[in-house]
Amino acid sequence: MDERVPILQNRQGTNVYKRRWYILGLFSFVAILQDTVWNTWGPIDHTAKFLYGWSDELIALFANYGSIMYIVAFIPVVYLLERSLRAAMLMTTGFMALGTILRCGFLQDPNISDDVFTVSCHICAVLNGISNIVVGSAPLVISSVWFPPEERVTATSIAQVFNGLGTGMSFLLASQIVRPIDKYQNATSHDIPSEEIAGIKTDIQWYMYAQSIPAGVFFLFSVFYFPSRPKIPPSISSGESRLDFFSGFKQVFKNKVAWAIAIGSSIPQGIVIAWTAMMVINLTQVCVGKHCLTQHWVNYLGIYSTVVGTAAAIFVARIVDFVKGYLKLTIVILLGLAGVVFTFLSLISLGVFHFHHLVNVQISVLMLLLTGSSLVVASMPLSMELAMEACYPVAECVVGGWISIWFNISSVVFLSLFNIPGIGTHWLDYVLPISCFISLPFFAFRVQYKRMAIDDRTADYQQIE
């Protein structure tokens, strides 16, 4: 079938193209890789500290760069996204390829010191952090310019939550490539055979290659074909004009509902994702007698958590696409249930519940973390769509950027707490349920579904919630 011919013509003046799935698929895989690079060191926290003498604060800083650069470079990158989705995608994949390849180049030369490699890791984290702006802001743009209304929430969900799969991918790569060092945790380099140290260094090299090679491939795919939009829009609202960049931000700043959605959704979402990246620090302290959860087991927990969370988010999005007008209610239910689930997880971490066998702890932590994180992850794309309905006709990149920057502010605050002298890590036992419960009052507002009303003029979405 000629791809230049639209495959659907359901609305006057609108068309839907099959190539939309290529656009969504490529962006989603780039999003996975961006998050994989962001969480490079969390899954091998113990290994990195042993091999390079790094601290918990430095490893947290590498993760924090993603949110720091989001805030620092936010305006120019979102402006580029507003001008051209293609240009923004080329910048994103180009920065990711440059950063990861630079890191590999310094690591494979044995004459280069660990300090120089550490500097290359800083540079990679900064470039990847800038890429994070497009990954976080573009899902609403892609779903709006390429997908019809009945697929829009699903497309937003896929584009956004696939980014979270990168956390699981980093845990998977780490568990399969980098050998565990739990048995050496209390040892020094003098106590470990030299061939074992050499093997660990080789593992790290392959771990770096596993990120740089896909980054280069995705950059080439983006150069080859990634248009900003189709010739004919997929919906009535997609074809209508939007407020210009600065007028859009001015409108968002004046919108109380936009502030409530941004702050209310960013608190649990930012904290849960950042907590997951650092959970090796916390969960390896959960013990039964002398037996504790290991870094290797927690890595697999991260994999399961992201995969199940992604599947849950897409499932919820499909339901919302069919049952329109209940975005806010769905978000409140999801976050409320997540708060309850995380409360039980916190009680296990605090030792309130006692277990006789470590396997019982593993099952409980697995079920609770998978359920709680899935509920929070499923609320993420719904928050973006709700904000877009409340802020329309503000441009999608502005609304997506607005929600995402608050998500990153939340992550920055969370990860910066590690730099407070003497704070320790016990506060990690409380933060998940608190983040969910304190977000609920922010959703005490009425919302108008403005964009839905334009795409379906036979329905009245103005005062459903």
Side-chain angles (χ1 to χ4, degrees), residues 260-307:
I261 296 173
I263 298 175
S265 61
S266 67
I267 294 173
Q269 293 170 12
I271 289 177
V272 168
I273 296 301
W275 186 94
T276 302
M278 304 300 294
M279 67 183 178
V280 169
I281 297 174
N282 185 46
L283 292 183
T284 50
Q285 299 177 24
V286 177
C287 305
V288 176
K290 296 181 179 180
H291 302 285
C292 301
L293 300 179
T294 65
Q295 173 183 282
H296 192 63
W297 185 86
V298 174
N299 285 348
Y300 277 100
L301 178 62
I303 298 169
Y304 303 146
S305 175
T306 53
V307 171

Side-chain angles (χ1 to χ4, degrees), residues 96-382:
M96 290 168 58
L98 176 61
T100 54
I101 292 173
L102 178 68
R103 199 170 54 179
C104 282
F106 282 116
L107 183 61
Q108 69 179 6
D109 189 342
N111 297 319
I112 293 178
S113 68
D114 291 342
D115 290 338
V116 175
F117 172 67
T118 301
V119 171
S120 73
C121 292
H122 282 282
I123 296 173
C124 179
V126 168
L127 293 175
N128 192 66
I130 297 174
S131 301
N132 183 37
I133 302 172
V134 175
V135 170
S137 304
L140 278 177
V141 179
I142 292 174
S143 66
S144 175
V145 302
W146 285 100
F147 286 82
E150 61 270 16
E151 296 175 351
R152 202 155 50 201
V153 178
T154 302
T156 300
S157 179
I158 293 173
Q160 187 182 42
V161 301
F162 264 55
N163 181 232
L165 276 178
T167 303
M169 180 61 69
S170 64
F171 282 111
L172 178 62
L173 291 175
S175 64
Q176 296 300 312
I177 298 176
V178 182
R179 66 196 67 188
I181 64 164
D182 296 292
K183 61 181 178 180
Y184 299 124
Q185 191 164 347
N186 297 321
T188 66
S189 59
H190 301 292
D191 301 322
I192 303 176
S194 58
E195 59 272 17
E196 184 72 8
I197 295 177
I200 295 173
K201 291 182 177 180
T202 301
D203 293 345
I204 296 294
Q205 286 183 342
W206 284 107
Y207 188 46
M208 298 294 100
Y209 292 144
Q211 297 178 7
S212 62
I213 293 174
V217 171
F218 292 152
F219 174 68
L220 293 178
F221 269 99
S222 300
V223 171
F224 175 71
Y225 186 77
F226 197 91
S228 293
R229 61 176 62 245
K231 292 182 179 180
I232 303 174
S235 66
I236 297 173
S237 65
S238 178
E240 293 197 345
S241 61
R242 301 290 195 269
L243 296 177
D244 65 74
F245 182 78
F246 294 104
S247 297
F249 269 112
K250 186 177 180 180
Q251 184 73 17
V252 169
F253 287 146
K254 293 180 179 180
N255 192 324
K256 295 180 180 179
V257 173
W259 280 91
I261 296 173
I263 298 175
S265 61
S266 67
I267 294 173
Q269 293 170 12
I271 289 177
V272 168
I273 296 301
W275 186 94
T276 302
M278 304 300 294
M279 67 183 178
V280 169
I281 297 174
N282 185 46
L283 292 183
T284 50
Q285 299 177 24
V286 177
C287 305
V288 176
K290 296 181 179 180
H291 302 285
C292 301
L293 300 179
T294 65
Q295 173 183 282
H296 192 63
W297 185 86
V298 174
N299 285 348
Y300 277 100
L301 178 62
I303 298 169
Y304 303 146
S305 175
T306 53
V307 171
V308 173
T310 299
I314 297 173
F315 175 75
V316 171
R318 287 306 296 156
I319 294 176
V320 173
D321 264 330
F322 286 109
V323 184
K324 298 181 182 296
Y326 293 95
L327 285 170
K328 189 189 76 172
L329 177 61
T330 305
I331 293 170
V332 171
I333 292 174
L334 291 173
L335 294 180
L337 291 175
V340 174
V341 172
F342 283 140
T343 298
F344 285 99
L345 180 62
S346 294
L347 294 175
I348 291 176
S349 298
L350 291 169
V352 174
F353 296 138
H354 299 283
F355 298 89
H356 297 291
H357 301 285
L358 186 62
V359 66
N360 295 332
V361 177
Q362 292 175 327
I363 293 173
S364 300
V365 171
L366 174 71
M367 297 304 297
L368 291 172
L369 185 61
L370 260 59
T371 303
S373 62
S374 296
L375 292 168
V376 173
V377 168
S379 72
M380 294 180 184
L382 305 188

Side-chain angles (χ1 to χ4, degrees), residues 29-137:
F29 281 115
V30 169
I32 293 175
L33 182 61
Q34 190 277 327
D35 198 55
T36 302
V37 176
W38 169 73
N39 194 41
T40 296
W41 303 108
I44 56 171
D45 170 88
H46 295 165
T47 305
K49 288 188 290 188
F50 163 76
L51 205 58
Y52 305 114
W54 292 350
S55 63
D56 286 335
E57 292 77 16
L58 179 58
I59 294 174
L61 176 61
F62 285 141
N64 214 358
Y65 274 130
S67 298
I68 293 172
M69 296 312 301
Y70 203 111
I71 298 169
V72 171
F74 175 73
I75 294 297
V77 174
V78 173
Y79 181 75
L80 175 65
L81 177 61
E82 193 255 351
R83 303 297 297 175
S84 172
L85 176 61
R86 174 175 172 79
M89 186 67 167
L90 290 174
M91 183 209 70
T92 297
T93 54
F95 278 6
M96 290 168 58
L98 176 61
T100 54
I101 292 173
L102 178 68
R103 199 170 54 179
C104 282
F106 282 116
L107 183 61
Q108 69 179 6
D109 189 342
N111 297 319
I112 293 178
S113 68
D114 291 342
D115 290 338
V116 175
F117 172 67
T118 301
V119 171
S120 73
C121 292
H122 282 282
I123 296 173
C124 179
V126 168
L127 293 175
N128 192 66
I130 297 174
S131 301
N132 183 37
I133 302 172
V134 175
V135 170
S137 304

